[in-house]
PDB file of all heavy atoms in Angstrom:
ATOM      1  N   GLU A  28     152.070 164.358  -1.726  1.00 98.00           N
ATOM      2  CA  GLU A  28     153.105 164.999  -2.547  1.00 98.00           C
ATOM      3  C   GLU A  28     152.513 166.162  -3.333  1.00 98.00           C
ATOM      4  O   GLU A  28     153.172 167.186  -3.531  1.00 98.00           O
ATOM      5  CB  GLU A  28     153.756 163.990  -3.490  1.00 98.00           C
ATOM      6  CG  GLU A  28     154.660 163.000  -2.790  1.00 98.00           C
ATOM      7  CD  GLU A  28     155.826 163.664  -2.065  1.00 98.00           C
ATOM      8  OE1 GLU A  28     156.444 164.593  -2.627  1.00 98.00           O
ATOM      9  OE2 GLU A  28     156.114 163.253  -0.925  1.00 98.00           O
ATOM     10  N   ALA A  29     151.279 166.018  -3.775  1.00 98.00           N
ATOM     11  CA  ALA A  29     150.610 167.095  -4.500  1.00 98.00           C
ATOM     12  C   ALA A  29     150.381 168.304  -3.587  1.00 98.00           C
ATOM     13  O   ALA A  29     150.570 169.444  -4.007  1.00 98.00           O
ATOM     14  CB  ALA A  29     149.293 166.600  -5.081  1.00 98.00           C
ATOM     15  N   VAL A  30     149.990 168.064  -2.332  1.00 98.00           N
ATOM     16  CA  VAL A  30     149.810 169.154  -1.370  1.00 98.00           C
ATOM     17  C   VAL A  30     151.146 169.851  -1.123  1.00 98.00           C
ATOM     18  O   VAL A  30     151.223 171.086  -1.074  1.00 98.00           O
ATOM     19  CB  VAL A  30     149.181 168.648  -0.053  1.00 98.00           C
ATOM     20  CG1 VAL A  30     149.253 169.703   1.039  1.00 98.00           C
ATOM     21  CG2 VAL A  30     147.739 168.231  -0.287  1.00 98.00           C
ATOM     22  N   ASN A  31     152.214 169.089  -0.982  1.00 98.00           N
ATOM     23  CA  ASN A  31     153.546 169.674  -0.780  1.00 98.00           C
ATOM     24  C   ASN A  31     153.917 170.572  -1.962  1.00 98.00           C
ATOM     25  O   ASN A  31     154.428 171.673  -1.776  1.00 98.00           O
ATOM     26  CB  ASN A  31     154.603 168.586  -0.588  1.00 98.00           C
ATOM     27  CG  ASN A  31     154.433 167.834   0.713  1.00 98.00           C
ATOM     28  OD1 ASN A  31     153.747 168.286   1.630  1.00 98.00           O
ATOM     29  ND2 ASN A  31     155.043 166.669   0.800  1.00 98.00           N
ATOM     30  N   GLU A  32     153.670 170.102  -3.165  1.00 97.00           N
ATOM     31  CA  GLU A  32     153.949 170.896  -4.372  1.00 97.00           C
ATOM     32  C   GLU A  32     153.067 172.140  -4.418  1.00 97.00           C
ATOM     33  O   GLU A  32     153.508 173.212  -4.829  1.00 97.00           O
ATOM     34  CB  GLU A  32     153.728 170.064  -5.633  1.00 97.00           C
ATOM     35  CG  GLU A  32     154.856 169.127  -5.948  1.00 97.00           C
ATOM     36  CD  GLU A  32     156.166 169.851  -6.263  1.00 97.00           C
ATOM     37  OE1 GLU A  32     156.161 170.819  -7.057  1.00 97.00           O
ATOM     38  OE2 GLU A  32     157.194 169.430  -5.709  1.00 97.00           O
ATOM     39  N   ALA A  33     151.806 171.992  -3.996  1.00 98.00           N
ATOM     40  CA  ALA A  33     150.883 173.120  -3.995  1.00 98.00           C
ATOM     41  C   ALA A  33     151.368 174.206  -3.031  1.00 98.00           C
ATOM     42  O   ALA A  33     151.283 175.402  -3.350  1.00 98.00           O
ATOM     43  CB  ALA A  33     149.480 172.655  -3.610  1.00 98.00           C
ATOM     44  N   LEU A  34     151.890 173.820  -1.875  1.00 97.00           N
ATOM     45  CA  LEU A  34     152.427 174.794  -0.925  1.00 97.00           C
ATOM     46  C   LEU A  34     153.590 175.569  -1.531  1.00 97.00           C
ATOM     47  O   LEU A  34     153.661 176.798  -1.426  1.00 97.00           O
ATOM     48  CB  LEU A  34     152.883 174.093   0.362  1.00 97.00           C
ATOM     49  CG  LEU A  34     151.777 173.654   1.310  1.00 97.00           C
ATOM     50  CD1 LEU A  34     152.330 172.717   2.373  1.00 97.00           C
ATOM     51  CD2 LEU A  34     151.132 174.868   1.949  1.00 97.00           C
ATOM     52  N   LEU A  35     154.496 174.868  -2.182  1.00 96.00           N
ATOM     53  CA  LEU A  35     155.629 175.525  -2.830  1.00 96.00           C
ATOM     54  C   LEU A  35     155.165 176.445  -3.954  1.00 96.00           C
ATOM     55  O   LEU A  35     155.639 177.576  -4.092  1.00 96.00           O
ATOM     56  CB  LEU A  35     156.609 174.489  -3.377  1.00 96.00           C
ATOM     57  CG  LEU A  35     157.383 173.688  -2.345  1.00 96.00           C
ATOM     58  CD1 LEU A  35     158.179 172.572  -3.020  1.00 96.00           C
ATOM     59  CD2 LEU A  35     158.318 174.598  -1.561  1.00 96.00           C
ATOM     60  N   PHE A  36     154.236 175.956  -4.764  1.00 95.00           N
ATOM     61  CA  PHE A  36     153.716 176.743  -5.876  1.00 95.00           C
ATOM     62  C   PHE A  36     153.030 178.015  -5.379  1.00 95.00           C
ATOM     63  O   PHE A  36     153.218 179.102  -5.939  1.00 95.00           O
ATOM     64  CB  PHE A  36     152.756 175.888  -6.710  1.00 95.00           C
ATOM     65  CG  PHE A  36     152.191 176.598  -7.893  1.00 95.00           C
ATOM     66  CD1 PHE A  36     152.982 176.892  -8.989  1.00 95.00           C
ATOM     67  CD2 PHE A  36     150.863 176.975  -7.909  1.00 95.00           C
ATOM     68  CE1 PHE A  36     152.459 177.556 -10.094  1.00 95.00           C
ATOM     69  CE2 PHE A  36     150.323 177.644  -9.005  1.00 95.00           C
ATOM     70  CZ  PHE A  36     151.127 177.936 -10.096  1.00 95.00           C
ATOM     71  N   LEU A  37     152.248 177.902  -4.307  1.00 94.00           N
ATOM     72  CA  LEU A  37     151.546 179.054  -3.753  1.00 94.00           C
ATOM     73  C   LEU A  37     152.550 180.083  -3.215  1.00 94.00           C
ATOM     74  O   LEU A  37     152.402 181.287  -3.453  1.00 94.00           O
ATOM     75  CB  LEU A  37     150.575 178.619  -2.660  1.00 94.00           C
ATOM     76  CG  LEU A  37     149.675 179.701  -2.074  1.00 94.00           C
ATOM     77  CD1 LEU A  37     148.799 180.333  -3.149  1.00 94.00           C
ATOM     78  CD2 LEU A  37     148.805 179.115  -0.976  1.00 94.00           C
ATOM     79  N   ALA A  38     153.561 179.622  -2.520  1.00 92.00           N
ATOM     80  CA  ALA A  38     154.582 180.540  -1.993  1.00 92.00           C
ATOM     81  C   ALA A  38     155.311 181.259  -3.125  1.00 92.00           C
ATOM     82  O   ALA A  38     155.517 182.474  -3.072  1.00 92.00           O
ATOM     83  CB  ALA A  38     155.567 179.770  -1.119  1.00 92.00           C
ATOM     84  N   GLU A  39     155.678 180.529  -4.165  1.00 92.00           N
ATOM     85  CA  GLU A  39     156.357 181.139  -5.306  1.00 92.00           C
ATOM     86  C   GLU A  39     155.430 182.104  -6.039  1.00 92.00           C
ATOM     87  O   GLU A  39     155.855 183.177  -6.476  1.00 92.00           O
ATOM     88  CB  GLU A  39     156.865 180.066  -6.257  1.00 92.00           C
ATOM     89  CG  GLU A  39     158.010 179.260  -5.690  1.00 92.00           C
ATOM     90  CD  GLU A  39     158.372 178.040  -6.527  1.00 92.00           C
ATOM     91  OE1 GLU A  39     157.753 177.821  -7.593  1.00 92.00           O
ATOM     92  OE2 GLU A  39     159.272 177.305  -6.102  1.00 92.00           O
ATOM     93  N   SER A  40     154.172 181.755  -6.175  1.00 89.00           N
ATOM     94  CA  SER A  40     153.202 182.616  -6.844  1.00 89.00           C
ATOM     95  C   SER A  40     152.986 183.902  -6.060  1.00 89.00           C
ATOM     96  O   SER A  40     152.794 184.972  -6.637  1.00 89.00           O
ATOM     97  CB  SER A  40     151.871 181.889  -7.024  1.00 89.00           C
ATOM     98  OG  SER A  40     152.043 180.769  -7.859  1.00 89.00           O
ATOM     99  N   GLY A  41     153.037 183.801  -4.748  1.00 85.00           N
ATOM    100  CA  GLY A  41     152.896 184.978  -3.896  1.00 85.00           C
ATOM    101  C   GLY A  41     153.960 186.017  -4.188  1.00 85.00           C
ATOM    102  O   GLY A  41     153.694 187.223  -4.157  1.00 85.00           O
ATOM    103  N   ARG A  42     155.151 185.563  -4.492  1.00 85.00           N
ATOM    104  CA  ARG A  42     156.236 186.489  -4.837  1.00 85.00           C
ATOM    105  C   ARG A  42     155.902 187.283  -6.094  1.00 85.00           C
ATOM    106  O   ARG A  42     156.309 188.423  -6.242  1.00 85.00           O
ATOM    107  CB  ARG A  42     157.540 185.731  -5.044  1.00 85.00           C
ATOM    108  CG  ARG A  42     158.069 185.118  -3.767  1.00 85.00           C
ATOM    109  CD  ARG A  42     159.361 184.445  -4.007  1.00 85.00           C
ATOM    110  NE  ARG A  42     160.328 185.459  -4.459  1.00 85.00           N
ATOM    111  CZ  ARG A  42     161.610 185.232  -4.627  1.00 85.00           C
ATOM    112  NH1 ARG A  42     162.098 184.049  -4.399  1.00 85.00           N
ATOM    113  NH2 ARG A  42     162.411 186.199  -5.032  1.00 85.00           N
ATOM    114  N   ASP A  43     155.149 186.686  -7.013  1.00 82.00           N
ATOM    115  CA  ASP A  43     154.791 187.357  -8.260  1.00 82.00           C
ATOM    116  C   ASP A  43     153.535 188.213  -8.131  1.00 82.00           C
ATOM    117  O   ASP A  43     153.480 189.314  -8.664  1.00 82.00           O
ATOM    118  CB  ASP A  43     154.570 186.324  -9.377  1.00 82.00           C
ATOM    119  CG  ASP A  43     155.835 185.567  -9.719  1.00 82.00           C
ATOM    120  OD1 ASP A  43     156.940 186.132  -9.560  1.00 82.00           O
ATOM    121  OD2 ASP A  43     155.721 184.405 -10.142  1.00 82.00           O
ATOM    122  N   PHE A  44     152.511 187.710  -7.446  1.00 77.00           N
ATOM    123  CA  PHE A  44     151.210 188.372  -7.416  1.00 77.00           C
ATOM    124  C   PHE A  44     151.072 189.428  -6.328  1.00 77.00           C
ATOM    125  O   PHE A  44     150.530 190.492  -6.574  1.00 77.00           O
ATOM    126  CB  PHE A  44     150.088 187.341  -7.205  1.00 77.00           C
ATOM    127  CG  PHE A  44     149.721 186.584  -8.448  1.00 77.00           C
ATOM    128  CD1 PHE A  44     150.250 185.328  -8.685  1.00 77.00           C
ATOM    129  CD2 PHE A  44     148.849 187.131  -9.372  1.00 77.00           C
ATOM    130  CE1 PHE A  44     149.921 184.623  -9.829  1.00 77.00           C
ATOM    131  CE2 PHE A  44     148.510 186.428 -10.526  1.00 77.00           C
ATOM    132  CZ  PHE A  44     149.048 185.173 -10.748  1.00 77.00           C
ATOM    133  N   LEU A  45     151.502 189.135  -5.127  1.00 69.00           N
ATOM    134  CA  LEU A  45     151.180 189.994  -3.993  1.00 69.00           C
ATOM    135  C   LEU A  45     151.842 191.366  -4.002  1.00 69.00           C
ATOM    136  O   LEU A  45     151.225 192.329  -3.546  1.00 69.00           O
ATOM    137  CB  LEU A  45     151.453 189.267  -2.676  1.00 69.00           C
ATOM    138  CG  LEU A  45     150.538 188.059  -2.449  1.00 69.00           C
ATOM    139  CD1 LEU A  45     150.892 187.360  -1.151  1.00 69.00           C
ATOM    140  CD2 LEU A  45     149.070 188.458  -2.444  1.00 69.00           C
ATOM    141  N   PRO A  46     153.060 191.548  -4.514  1.00 73.00           N
ATOM    142  CA  PRO A  46     153.629 192.902  -4.491  1.00 73.00           C
ATOM    143  C   PRO A  46     152.797 193.938  -5.246  1.00 73.00           C
ATOM    144  O   PRO A  46     152.831 195.111  -4.926  1.00 73.00           O
ATOM    145  CB  PRO A  46     155.000 192.722  -5.139  1.00 73.00           C
ATOM    146  CG  PRO A  46     155.351 191.308  -4.856  1.00 73.00           C
ATOM    147  CD  PRO A  46     154.041 190.567  -4.951  1.00 73.00           C
ATOM    148  N   GLY A  47     152.036 193.542  -6.237  1.00 74.00           N
ATOM    149  CA  GLY A  47     151.219 194.474  -7.003  1.00 74.00           C
ATOM    150  C   GLY A  47     149.822 194.673  -6.447  1.00 74.00           C
ATOM    151  O   GLY A  47     149.017 195.404  -7.017  1.00 74.00           O
ATOM    152  N   ILE A  48     149.519 194.048  -5.338  1.00 74.00           N
ATOM    153  CA  ILE A  48     148.174 194.091  -4.757  1.00 74.00           C
ATOM    154  C   ILE A  48     148.216 194.908  -3.473  1.00 74.00           C
ATOM    155  O   ILE A  48     149.151 194.816  -2.689  1.00 74.00           O
ATOM    156  CB  ILE A  48     147.668 192.660  -4.467  1.00 74.00           C
ATOM    157  CG1 ILE A  48     147.527 191.887  -5.776  1.00 74.00           C
ATOM    158  CG2 ILE A  48     146.349 192.689  -3.730  1.00 74.00           C
ATOM    159  CD1 ILE A  48     147.191 190.430  -5.580  1.00 74.00           C
ATOM    160  N   THR A  49     147.185 195.701  -3.242  1.00 77.00           N
ATOM    161  CA  THR A  49     147.095 196.471  -2.003  1.00 77.00           C
ATOM    162  C   THR A  49     146.498 195.597  -0.910  1.00 77.00           C
ATOM    163  O   THR A  49     145.387 195.086  -1.071  1.00 77.00           O
ATOM    164  CB  THR A  49     146.205 197.715  -2.218  1.00 77.00           C
ATOM    165  OG1 THR A  49     146.761 198.480  -3.285  1.00 77.00           O
ATOM    166  CG2 THR A  49     146.138 198.552  -0.971  1.00 77.00           C
ATOM    167  N   PRO A  50     147.228 195.393   0.194  1.00 81.00           N
ATOM    168  CA  PRO A  50     146.698 194.582   1.286  1.00 81.00           C
ATOM    169  C   PRO A  50     145.464 195.227   1.903  1.00 81.00           C
ATOM    170  O   PRO A  50     145.343 196.450   1.868  1.00 81.00           O
ATOM    171  CB  PRO A  50     147.838 194.542   2.295  1.00 81.00           C
ATOM    172  CG  PRO A  50     149.064 194.819   1.480  1.00 81.00           C
ATOM    173  CD  PRO A  50     148.620 195.775   0.416  1.00 81.00           C
ATOM    174  N   PRO A  51     144.556 194.478   2.481  1.00 86.00           N
ATOM    175  CA  PRO A  51     144.656 193.029   2.626  1.00 86.00           C
ATOM    176  C   PRO A  51     144.427 192.321   1.287  1.00 86.00           C
ATOM    177  O   PRO A  51     143.636 192.767   0.469  1.00 86.00           O
ATOM    178  CB  PRO A  51     143.562 192.681   3.625  1.00 86.00           C
ATOM    179  CG  PRO A  51     142.558 193.768   3.471  1.00 86.00           C
ATOM    180  CD  PRO A  51     143.328 195.005   3.066  1.00 86.00           C
ATOM    181  N   ALA A  52     145.143 191.252   1.103  1.00 85.00           N
ATOM    182  CA  ALA A  52     145.054 190.504  -0.150  1.00 85.00           C
ATOM    183  C   ALA A  52     145.140 189.015   0.141  1.00 85.00           C
ATOM    184  O   ALA A  52     145.785 188.591   1.088  1.00 85.00           O
ATOM    185  CB  ALA A  52     146.181 190.911  -1.086  1.00 85.00           C
ATOM    186  N   THR A  53     144.481 188.238  -0.692  1.00 88.00           N
ATOM    187  CA  THR A  53     144.503 186.784  -0.541  1.00 88.00           C
ATOM    188  C   THR A  53     144.742 186.150  -1.894  1.00 88.00           C
ATOM    189  O   THR A  53     144.150 186.538  -2.890  1.00 88.00           O
ATOM    190  CB  THR A  53     143.169 186.269   0.034  1.00 88.00           C
ATOM    191  OG1 THR A  53     142.958 186.878   1.313  1.00 88.00           O
ATOM    192  CG2 THR A  53     143.182 184.761   0.202  1.00 88.00           C
TER     193      THR A  53
END
Side-chain angles (χ1 to χ4, degrees):
E28 288 299 317
V30 168
N31 292 343
E32 281 296 313
L34 284 167
L35 291 173
F36 181 71
L37 185 60
E39 290 170 2
S40 297
R42 293 182 62 172
D43 296 331
F44 281 97
L45 294 178
I48 296 173
T49 303
T53 300

